Amino acid sequence: MASMMEHVTLTAPDISCGHCVATIKEEVGTLPGVANVEADPSSKRVEIDFDPGRVSLAQIEAALEEAGYPIAK
Ligand SMILES: [Cu+2]
């Protein structure tokens, strides 16, 4: 059964290098319901594919903040 995936683009201004990208992929990518995480140090963008039935955007934002990369609103 296919579940509906949602895609979100967030901006985390503190992403500065590949190490940050690896940390974000590790911290957010291990949340249940998160299918894919990409981050880009030059644009500061984080692209996330997730299943909203299993994880909320608020939980994803909290995980990013906990990892040290708070989202710019
Ligand atoms: Cu870094």
Side-chain angles (χ1 to χ4, degrees), residues 16-20 69:
S16 58
C17 68
H19 189 255
C20 302
Y69 303 96

